[in-house]
Each structure stands twice: as C-alpha cells, then as structure tokens.
Amino acid sequence: MSRPSTLASWYALQQEAKQTDNRHLRDMSNDKQRFTQLSRSFNGLLLDFSKQRIEPLTLQLLLQLAEECQLTSKINDLLGGQPINNSELRPALHTALRLPAKAKLFVEGEDVNLAVQASLTKMQQLVAKLQAGQWRGVTGLPITDVVNLGVGGSDLGPLMVCHALAGFKPEQTAPLNLHFVSTIDGSQLAERLKKLNPATTLFIFSSKSFSTIDTLTNANTARHWLIDKLGKETLVIKQHFIGVSASTKKMTEWGIAKEHQLIFWDWVGGRYSLWSAIGLPIALQIGMDGFRELLAGAHALDVHFANNPLANNLPVLLALTGIWNINFLNIRAQAILPYDGRLKYFPDYLTQLEMESNGKSTTREGEAVEYATCPVLWGELGPNAQHAFYQLLHQGTEAVNCDFIAPIHRYDEIKDSETRRQFQDQHRLSLANCFAQSRLLMLGDAAVPKSAAGEAMPHMLYRGNQPSTTLLMNELTPYNLGQLIALYEHKVFVQAAIWNINPFDQWGVELGKKIALATEQALLAKDKQAIALAFDPSTSGLLNHCLTVQKKL
Ligand code: F6P
C-alpha cells in the first residue's frame, strides 16, 4: 500500500466531508445518543470525541480506511519487533521497555527483555544510592542536586514527567533537587551553575548518540566548571557524572566511569525513550517503584492497543479523528490544552513526539505524499491559554482541532481541611472552564440562551463548529500518566500507518546540524571574503554584520 488516497474508503470519506461541510456541530450535537456513540473508556481513561464533526457513518468509514490500510497487521509488526523503521533498518521497540519483568520478546532470536530488565536493575541501584544520600562527591559530601543535560527526547520526556509527578516524591529519601538544562547557548546552564554547589552536584549526561552538539557543549562546560572548582579531573568526572546513552564506547571515551554508565539501544527512538534509562531523573523524582508504575500504565495501554477491536481502541480512535480533520475537513492546526498545571510541559513534549515523528512528506517507498500529514501542533495550559490565544479559537479565521485534557480528582492528599476545600474549589473551577470552553467552541452563540445573548453585533458573534476531543483521567498518577503518554505514542503510529510514512526517523533535522557546524567555522575564521564566497548573500550579510559588531565591541 503506498497511497491511501487511492482507497475506496478515502473517496467515500471525501464525499462524506462534502456533506459535513454543510452541517454545524450545533445541529449534530442535538442527538441524544451522541455521547454514548462517540466516546470510549479504558482503565479510568475517557476519550470523548462527541464534539468532533463526526457522525456514526463517518466513524464507520474511518474504521474502513484503517482496515484498508492493514492497520492491525502494522500494529502487530510494531509490537512484535519487526524492522518497521525502514530507513534505518531497525525495529521501534519502546513498548519492550515497559514489558512486565517476566515477559519475553524475541527479536532475531534474542529476548530483548533480558537486557531491558538488566538496565532497570542497574538504574535501580544508582537511584537507591542517590536517594539514600550515599552517593558522595569528591569532597565526601552527599549529592543534593542532579542536573540533567540533554535535548529533545533526552530532555522533554523526563522534564514533562518530573514536573507532572513532582507531588509523588517517595517518603524517607534524601531530598534531591532536579534541574534540566538543554539549550546550546548556555543560558540555562549559566543561571543554574550560579546557584549550585559543585561539591554536591551530579550531572546526568543524557544523549542517545552521545554526540549531539547541544548536550556535548553543556557537558563540557559543566566538566570545566567542576574542574575549576574542585580540581582532580579523573575523580571529579567519575564522581560527578552519570552517562545515559546507546553508545558505551562514546561514554567511555568522554570519561564516564563504567559503573556510572546506563545504556539503552538503537531500537529506542529519542522521542520514545523516557521509558528507558533516559527516564533516570523520573526515577530519582518519584522513586523506582513510581517509575515502574509509569511503565505499568504504559504497558496496560499497549495491551489495549494490541488486543482491542479498532472500533473500541482509544489510540486508533484518537488518530482517526485527527485524520478526518486533517485530510478531509482541511483542519491543519492542533491545540493541546491541559487543565492541570502539572501537565505544563505536556504540549511541549507532544510537539516533538508528533511533529518530529510525522512531519514527513515522502512515503515509506520514497514517493512524494499527495495529502497532508502532521498538523501544526502547539499548546499551553488551558486556563492560561484562555487569556492568550482562545480569542483566535473562538473568532479567528483558522479552524483548529483541540484536545482538552484533565484529571477529575485533585488535592485529596491535603491534610488541612479548609485549605483542601479551597484547592478543590479551584480544581472544580478549572474543570468547569474546560467543559465550558469545549462546549462554546462546538456551539458558538447557541451555547448561551437567546434572551441572555440579546442582539449581538457582528464582532460579538461566536461561530462555533470548532472540533475538540476531551480526555479525562480519574486522577493524575504515575500509572495514569503512563497510559496517557502511550495513548499519544500509539496515536502517532496509527496516523503514520494511514499516511504510509515512517514515524521513527528524523532526517529533516540532520542537515541543519551539519551546516550549523560549517557556519560556526565561518564565524571562527572571521574571513569576510571566504564567507561571501561560501554563503548565500542573505546569510553572508548576517555573518559579516556579526563580525563587524563583534570587532567594534
Ligand atoms: O533533534 C534530533 C534529535 O536526534 C532527536 O530526535 C533527539 O531526541 C535529540 O536530537 C537528542 O538526541 P540525543 O539523545 O542523541 O542527544
């Protein structure tokens, strides 16, 4: 299958979309069965797509499309370890990272779960030592601060989860402060180092390739800072660095002690790696038991994805509603709107997961696609976004598909009853805003009774008809967050399967890395004539302007 656009269901969906263009969500929403027909739940996770511009017939056609694209067999290939990353000739086995300890998964005759469990055991030992305050720096003081140096998948996933689960600190462990540094310009590191004591600081050099310039530069600066402050290079690197990578060779060459190296494998994509040793900051934050809960939640969703019929399969349905919007209703923007401050970094995390995976324009066979693929995706905490960009959602010219995400319970753990009640009132208010906004986006002015609305001027009109999906979980726990993340990972996979693209490579970012190095050389050489010869007029103009200003300062 190379072009889904030649399939019978694709044509039928195009015809269906013409009908949908003439229908407003306001009218579709009157059907009393709508919520029952267009929502599904699994293990405390509710997926409500009844505010999508979808009728039961649309759903039937979308499921037909999935079948014609042989989705079930593609899911089996993913989970079974087939080399589905065809441009890099390897499987994409992030799901193996969350298998139960006793499970087996043979890939080319080898049980990959043995290596996974061994890595988890080593991680557990390092975590236990740090949490017990037994890890000492070169001066003999216990480590109090851990700085994760990483970028992309080696930063966004752990950062997002650590922030979301900050309240799940295990009791009776030494207080460890976690920090994240990613930017190549050094601004985050410079600020962070000002506040840290080198004697009690440990760095995690977190990079699958162990050669990403952003992380390498930050790690080299951290190394020099430690040496300036503490001296004794070999011991300093040994006691103040952990390495996490798929390359033991590169970790050793850089100076990471063998016993402080954690590995994962080339069959784990960077943006799918938080379940591996890349998740070390998460384990430090919520304890190894909490980390295993996160893995267990993701595994539960994997089992659901593998075994449930497509029509009741949450990631499949989330993906198909996206396909409907993007490819048939021409809605090419997607907003991610969590109504819980703990999910602050979830939209950032998803931008990499979705756009680096599916921002592709060639099929697996190398042909140009003739249909849209990944939408432009962005997001922000919903309540804050209401005061920033919801104006565009309500009255702008752009159609946007929105995902609303919220937990139902919050703040039960607060002991003081008055304070607890206050916070729970706040959460109720947040939920009310979440439901009010999706309703308003769907209905427009019709959400308000006629008498109250009065005669609205044109600039006061809300057109409605903006589609949205609501995802509710009972509460935000490591297990439930694991489910939520896996849900989106599989959504991305399903959309890639329909579009016949490879979601597991990222060739589009490689060239940028190479030419950045050549550009840095030009800035170093300071040869204006050579710059004019080697670069286009626009870029050589910028480079030469920089050199002139630098000389003057
Ligand atoms: O931006 C490209 C990329 O390769 C991402 O896919 C990856 O998550 C990030 O860089 C970091 O890579 P590494 O973990 O190898 O440093």
Side-chain angles (χ1 to χ4, degrees), residues 91-393:
L93 267 177
H94 42 285
T95 49
L97 300 169
R98 49 225 195 192
L99 283 172
K102 296 232 165 71
K104 293 187 186 309
L105 179 66
F106 286 93
V107 177
E108 291 177 358
E110 211 175 301
D111 179 7
V112 290
N113 200 22
L114 286 178
V116 170
Q117 296 304 321
S119 174
L120 280 171
T121 305
K122 185 162 180 188
M123 189 168 156
Q124 178 144 13
Q125 286 158 358
L126 298 185
V127 169
K129 203 168 163 189
L130 278 159
Q131 287 190 328
Q134 287 167 357
W135 187 305
R136 310 264 155 183
V138 278
T139 67
L141 289 174
I143 295 299
T144 57
D145 289 83
V146 179
V147 186
N148 189 75
L149 307 172
V151 72
S154 303
D155 169 67
L156 290 167
L159 170 66
M160 179 274 286
V161 177
C162 282
H163 189 81
L165 300 178
F168 286 84
K169 272 196 172 68
E171 280 168 18
Q172 294 165 340
T173 55
L176 273 182
N177 306 308
L178 282 170
H179 315 279
F180 289 84
V181 163
S182 57
T183 61
I184 197 170
D185 70 325
S187 51
Q188 290 173 327
L189 187 59
E191 271 315 295
R192 184 48 54 204
L193 294 186
K194 277 185 210 160
K195 300 179 190 122
L196 291 175
N197 175 358
T200 57
T201 299
L202 175 77
F203 293 92
I204 305 174
F205 185 160
S206 188
S207 170
K208 178 181 172 183
S209 59
F210 226 68
S211 56
T212 303
I213 188 75
D214 316 54
T215 308
L216 197 54
T217 311
N218 277 324
N220 284 334
T221 305
R223 173 189 202 137
H224 286 289
W225 177 73
L226 287 171
I227 293 168
D228 278 345
K229 305 279 185 196
L230 303 172
K232 314 176 210 159
E233 173 157 19
T234 324
L235 255 193
V236 165
I237 305 306
K238 182 166 188 270
Q239 284 310 104
H240 292 263
F241 269 97
I242 290 179
V244 184
S245 175
S247 170
T248 43
K249 184 167 172 276
K250 287 194 181 135
M251 285 195 276
T252 306
E253 280 165 9
W254 196 82
I256 307 278
K258 269 264 171 291
E259 59 272 33
H260 299 162
Q261 295 181 6
L262 288 172
I263 57 150
F264 63 112
W265 307 272
D266 66 355
W267 42 260
V268 181
R271 53 194 170 274
Y272 298 86
S273 65
L274 70 89
W275 320 100
S276 72
I278 291 286
L280 178 64
I282 304 171
L284 289 172
Q285 168 104 356
I286 63 173
M288 207 58 200
D289 287 350
F291 187 67
R292 287 183 194 276
E293 277 290 292
L294 183 83
L295 300 183
H299 177 68
L301 211 290
D302 296 340
V303 174
H304 166 85
F305 185 47
N307 299 335
N308 262 49
L310 301 182
N312 287 325
N313 198 309
L314 267 61
V316 172
L317 294 166
L318 185 61
L320 290 177
T321 52
I323 295 276
W324 172 242
N325 284 314
I326 299 158
N327 297 112
F328 301 99
L329 300 183
N330 244 335
I331 300 176
R332 309 272 171 84
Q334 168 80 60
I336 305 295
L337 307 164
Y339 275 71
D340 183 322
R342 295 171 295 178
L343 292 174
K344 176 177 164 49
Y345 294 108
F346 195 64
D348 293 349
Y349 163 77
L350 279 190
T351 54
Q352 187 199 14
L353 179 67
E354 299 224 6
M355 297 203 275
E356 200 174 69
S357 297
N358 284 347
K360 311 279 167 68
S361 53
T362 41
T363 65
R364 299 175 72 84
E365 292 78 22
E367 293 167 0
V369 297
E370 54 193 23
Y371 39 82
T373 59
C374 189
V376 174
L377 183 137
W378 91 109
E380 172 58 281
L381 290 175
N384 292 357
Q386 285 178 208
H387 303 281
F389 59 76
Y390 273 41
Q391 169 62 35
L392 178 144
L393 303 182

